Amino acid sequence: MTAPDVTVVVAVYNTMPYLTECLDSLVGQSIGLDRLEVVAVDDGSTDGSGEELDRYAKRYPGTVTVLHQPNSGGPAAPSNRALEVAQGRYVFFIGSDDHLGPEALERLVDAADRWGSDVVLGRMVGTNNRYVHQAIYASTSEQVDLFDSELPWSLSNTKLFRRDLIERHGLRFREDMRMGSDQPFTLEACVRAGRISVLADYVYYYAVKRDNAQNITYASRFEERLRCAEELVEFVAGLIEPGPRRDAILLRNFSWEVAKLLQADFLDLEPARQEQAHQRIRRLVENHLTDGIRERLAPAVRLRLLAAGYGDLERLLQLIRQQKDGALPEVTVVGDRGYAHYFGFRDAGLGFPDEWYDVTERAAKQAIKVTATQLAWERDETGAQTLVLTAHSPWAQLAGFPPQAVQVSLGGLAAAVTLRPGGPGTVVRAQWPLHQLLGIGVAGAEPRKVEAKLSVLGGAATTALRAEGRPAAPRRAARRGFRLYLVTPHTDRKHRVILMITSVTSRRIVARLTTKWSSRGK
């Protein structure tokens, strides 16, 4: 009997009714039943999944093989058992709650045969809001480099593997890992592979997030996630020599598995459990977080890992709370950049660069939530008329910024800005001399609306300045050269602060007087 081209391995535990769609997508593959083997292992299901598997085995004899075993606690043991009986030239792994595109296996096998690939990835998408990292699927590629591509971010086992590669290197799943057991398997397969290919021309795999969110990854407890992170980091360290290649893989593990341990649910642990977890994460950081990895981490992730590796528990908890609430600590402004006083900022003993604490965009978005409260005319120190706009920000820290960090402009004309505590929050005061306002509004001697804009930290955030209510200031007449203008500060229907500048001509005066006389005569 000729060996099938591909064996699909399905580890099953309580995935009805999703299992039915999964199996239908397999037996309906365009590759044909004669080229396909499905080995499904029922890992002690109690919801009818085992009976559903038997139904398909009876309907498709010679194609669907079902094995039953007591529950093992994870997908590793059933996957390994399936590998012991697999006969296909290639092996493909699928979650029993997921499903394939109709032509998936035919396309994958054809590509592997054409290119001589040991591992082939087909484009994978999430359904029901399940997240699937997409970067590796940007384009079809005959060969990708594990260490110089986005592949480390896509290390699930849902790929096509040459079975000779698996057997030659004795690759099996870690049965001591309840979650994450597919990563060591996939990673070592990719390290040993002669060629890894990517197909991005078709949706091959639909990864489903169940409505009851019972996928192991979603339902796992903190201790299991912590142990998974430890096992993955140590596995990578044992498999790959120190240097850029190892760093490329550990970047994913620290960014994903380790950093996610330091999120809001860490705050819910009992204090003794927090301390124990902190010490275990600290060891990972101290032993394996190299300078090369640290430089490439996302800023928020890097800060959490630095606090775990170099700070005490209280400072770590403080940082997690700040990141959870979106609250910024004190911000130092240098030029047009803002730097947050998170853990380690300008600590001489640590020597971390200011750039790691750059929160310019975040600070600007908070600072720019300013509402105009008053428009008024005043006299400056020389006695000249000046338009004064008063606004309020709920962010008290804004008062500590240098005035040049905040710019308020009318038609591109920057105001003189002062900041002071008030309210609670910060009072922003902007003022423009009347004679300068005329300069932005007289072109063409036609009426002009000049909208106020607010910029913070060199324009990192810019918005139209809106008002609370409809504040307005009295109309003022002013001369520029031989022309007379009316200047009217007010707000429009959208509550934007605007300035109406209208030239006063003899025709307008006559028209206005005519209107008045006509109304008196009625």
Side-chain angles (χ1 to χ4, degrees):
M1 179 178 176
T2 304
D5 283 330
V6 58
T7 297
V8 179
V9 170
V10 194
V12 181
Y13 177 70
N14 287 355
T15 53
M16 290 294 289
Y18 304 93
L19 175 61
T20 302
E21 184 174 9
C22 173
L23 295 172
D24 282 342
S25 79
L26 296 181
V27 297
Q29 285 291 301
S30 64
I31 198 170
L33 297 179
D34 58 328
R35 298 175 61 192
L36 171 66
E37 176 185 53
V38 176
V39 179
V41 180
D42 171 30
D43 198 41
S45 296
T46 58
D47 70 338
S49 292
E51 292 78 5
E52 183 76 341
L53 291 174
D54 290 338
R55 187 167 70 87
Y56 276 80
K58 185 176 181 179
R59 183 184 299 178
Y60 300 98
T63 297
V64 178
T65 299
V66 176
L67 306 173
H68 296 274
Q69 65 180 35
N71 181 253
S72 65
S79 297
N80 285 340
R81 188 174 179 194
L83 285 176
E84 297 302 326
V85 301
Q87 298 297 313
R89 294 190 297 121
Y90 299 99
V91 176
F92 187 89
F93 298 91
I94 184 173
S96 60
D97 39 15
D98 302 333
H99 54 274
L100 300 183
E103 301 175 16
L105 295 177
E106 183 177 19
R107 288 168 174 258
L108 288 164
V109 169
D110 286 351
D113 285 343
R114 183 169 66 254
W115 291 331
S117 308
D118 288 321
V119 180
V120 184
L121 289 74
R123 184 182 167 214
M124 182 177 182
V125 299
T127 67
N128 201 23
N129 294 317
R130 182 167 179 179
Y131 176 78
V132 174
H133 198 80
Q134 291 295 305
I136 191 63
Y137 306 115
S139 62
T140 293
S141 179
E142 181 178 339
Q143 184 160 3
V144 295
D145 186 333
L146 170 64
F147 305 105
D148 190 25
S149 72
E150 297 293 332
L151 182 53
W153 298 90
S154 299
L155 288 178
S156 68
N157 66 336
T158 50
K159 301 168 176 57
L160 187 79
F161 299 87
R162 190 176 294 274
R163 192 164 68 86
D164 176 68
L165 174 78
I166 294 173
E167 298 307 324
R168 189 167 8 109
H169 295 285
L171 303 182
R172 291 296 186 269
F173 293 87
R174 290 275 301 271
E175 296 188 19
D176 60 337
M177 294 177 64
R178 182 172 183 269
M179 62 176 297
S181 61
D182 58 339
Q183 270 200 59
F185 177 94
T186 306
L187 177 60
E188 186 167 3
C190 290
V191 169
R192 309 294 185 197
R195 174 167 292 176
I196 306 168
S197 305
V198 177
L199 296 174
D201 57 338
Y202 179 77
V203 178
Y204 291 79
Y205 194 107
Y206 294 87
V208 178
K209 182 179 180 181
R210 300 186 218 166
D211 290 331
N212 60 2
Q214 287 302 303
N215 309 58
I216 285 180
T217 301
Y218 293 99
S220 60
R221 294 176 300 210
F222 186 89
E223 171 60 29
E224 292 167 349
R225 291 165 49 213
L226 174 56
R227 182 167 176 271
C228 173
E230 292 173 323
E231 293 289 350
L232 291 177
V233 170
E234 295 297 342
F235 179 81
V236 173
L239 179 67
I240 305 170
E241 71 286 351
R245 286 158 51 94
R246 180 193 287 181
D247 286 354
I249 309 301
L250 288 182
L251 173 65
R252 174 252 161 83
N253 295 131
F254 276 107
S255 297
W256 199 259
E257 285 84 9
V258 180
K260 283 193 170 185
L261 297 167
L262 300 171
Q263 293 183 327
D265 57 349
F266 189 91
L267 303 174
D268 298 330
L269 299 176
E270 296 179 356
R273 188 71 188 85
Q274 288 176 339
E275 182 61 45
Q276 182 188 46
H278 177 211
Q279 293 307 318
R280 289 167 67 179
I281 296 170
R282 181 197 295 275
R283 284 194 291 272
L284 292 178
V285 172
E286 291 176 341
N287 294 336
H288 301 293
L289 184 63
T290 66
D291 291 343
I293 299 170
R294 196 166 59 182
E295 293 287 345
R296 296 171 62 187
L297 290 167
V301 169
R302 180 168 50 216
L303 287 176
R304 287 202 299 276
L305 294 173
L306 292 177
Y310 300 97
D312 57 31
L313 178 60
E314 187 50 46
R315 296 179 80 177
L316 173 61
L317 294 173
Q318 180 184 24
L319 176 63
I320 294 174
R321 291 189 194 100
Q322 288 171 331
Q323 292 188 337
K324 172 192 172 187
D325 299 336
L328 283 174
E330 181 182 350
V331 174
T332 290
V333 177
V334 180
D336 61 356
R337 309 304 296 174
Y339 304 98
H341 291 208
Y342 286 121
F343 166 81
F345 178 66
R346 293 187 175 174
D347 184 326
L350 297 174
F352 299 149
D354 283 1
E355 288 71 23
W356 289 2
Y357 299 86
D358 191 324
V359 291
T360 303
E361 282 68 30
R362 285 186 58 204
K365 287 177 181 177
Q366 290 205 25
I368 210 164
K369 296 175 182 177
V370 174
T371 302
T373 57
Q374 185 180 32
L375 288 166
W377 293 103
E378 296 182 8
R379 299 279 180 178
D380 63 15
E381 62 275 4
T382 67
Q385 287 195 87
T386 301
L387 177 63
V388 177
L389 182 150
T390 304
H392 181 264
S393 167
W395 195 35
Q397 290 190 40
L398 183 60
F401 280 28
Q404 62 268 23
V406 179
Q407 295 182 1
V408 185
S409 63
L410 273 170
L413 177 64
V417 175
T418 58
L419 307 171
R420 63 175 176 81
T426 300
V427 174
V428 180
R429 177 183 166 94
Q431 58 186 63
W432 299 265
L434 176 57
H435 71 276
Q436 291 184 7
L437 291 174
L438 288 177
I440 63 173
V442 300
E446 292 297 327
R448 293 193 63 197
K449 289 183 178 179
V450 184
E451 187 178 15
K453 295 280 187 179
L454 175 70
S455 299
V456 176
L457 293 173
T462 302
T463 187
L465 186 59
R466 284 178 162 78
E468 182 181 275
R470 300 288 292 274
R475 180 179 297 169
R476 286 288 185 268
R479 184 178 298 278
R480 182 179 174 87
F482 295 104
R483 303 293 295 272
L484 185 65
Y485 298 92
L486 294 178
V487 182
T488 310
H490 66 112
T491 50
D492 64 12
R493 289 179 300 174
K494 295 182 178 180
H495 295 267
R496 293 173 300 189
V497 176
I498 63 173
L499 191 73
M500 180 73 80
I501 300 178
T502 308
S503 61
V504 180
T505 63
S506 57
R507 181 184 303 174
R508 292 174 188 268
I509 294 173
V510 170
R512 187 172 183 81
L513 290 174
T514 299
T515 301
K516 285 188 176 182
W517 289 334
S518 298
S519 62
R520 287 178 181 178
K522 291 182 179 179

